[in-house]
């Protein structure tokens, strides 16, 4: 007779965010993500996720919104992916290596010094977008400039 959403603890366990909470509760010190020399435990990942979810909410991300993810770091990507779910949003992973960066500088006419590196990225289903981050900030997150038609 159709699909029903589970409630309470059952709903939590049925989501990726709920699975992360379970892992952090049961195995807080086990390693969840390894990237180079960096190891992140389930407990530390959950802390990053809840902080990032709060930041998304402060930015106005609402349930059902799409959150573009363009991150080179495995721990950063994992935290952003789970944070989108916590916020009720849909994570949209993008491939950062399609093309870029293209440096744009502005503000020389009004002393508003702005330098950004722009990239063309693509979703798993082929939708392309233009994203940017502060010039030279290889560890920073990306902001969505817009989608290509």
């Amino acid at each position: 007779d159709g699909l029903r959403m589970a409630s309470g603890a059952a709903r939590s366990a049925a989501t990726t965010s709920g699975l992360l909470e379970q892992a952090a509760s049961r195995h807080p010190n086990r390693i969840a993500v390894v990237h180079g020399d960096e190891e992140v435990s389930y407990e530390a990942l959950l802390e990053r996720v809840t902080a990032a979810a709060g930041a998304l909410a402060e930015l106005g991300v609402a349930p059902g919104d799409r959150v573009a993810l363009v991150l080179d770091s495995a721990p950063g990507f994992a935290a952003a992916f789970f944070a989108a779910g916590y916020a009720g949003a849909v994570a949209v992973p993008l491939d950062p290596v399609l093309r870029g960066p293209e440096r744009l500088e502005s503000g020389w006419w009004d002393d508003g010094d702005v330098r950004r590196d722009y990239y063309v990225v693509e979703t798993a289903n082929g939708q392309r977008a233009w994203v940017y981050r502060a010039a030279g900030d290889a560890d920073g997150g990306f902001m969505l400039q817009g989608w290509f038609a």
Side-chain angles (χ1 to χ4, degrees):
D1 290 297
L3 225 46
R4 285 186 296 128
M5 287 294 290
S7 63
R11 180 179 62 201
S12 177
T15 64
T16 55
S17 301
L19 293 173
L20 175 60
E21 288 176 352
Q22 279 184 349
S25 174
R26 292 179 182 166
H27 313 288
N29 297 318
R30 281 195 188 166
I31 302 303
V33 181
V34 176
H35 183 71
D37 293 336
E38 183 179 9
E39 293 182 344
V40 180
S41 69
Y42 282 104
E43 183 177 53
L45 179 59
L46 183 59
E47 289 172 5
R48 290 183 187 189
V49 167
T50 55
L56 288 173
E58 287 178 16
L59 290 170
V61 173
D65 286 351
R66 293 184 203 133
V67 177
L69 303 180
V70 187
L71 299 165
D72 299 330
S73 159
F77 182 87
F81 179 83
F82 284 110
Y86 263 70
V90 178
V92 182
L94 302 174
D95 182 358
V97 295
L98 191 58
R99 189 175 76 223
E102 178 179 334
R103 171 92 25 104
L104 294 180
E105 298 183 25
S106 65
W108 50 266
W109 63 89
D110 65 359
D111 295 325
D113 188 23
V114 177
R115 294 184 180 112
R116 294 180 177 156
D117 289 339
Y118 282 81
Y119 298 79
V120 174
V121 297
E122 187 172 290
T123 66
N125 68 358
Q127 176 66 49
R128 292 187 179 192
W130 203 27
V131 299
Y132 68 90
R133 63 180 168 197
D137 185 6
D139 296 326
F142 287 86
M143 298 295 290
L144 176 66
Q145 179 71 34
W147 296 99
F148 289 98

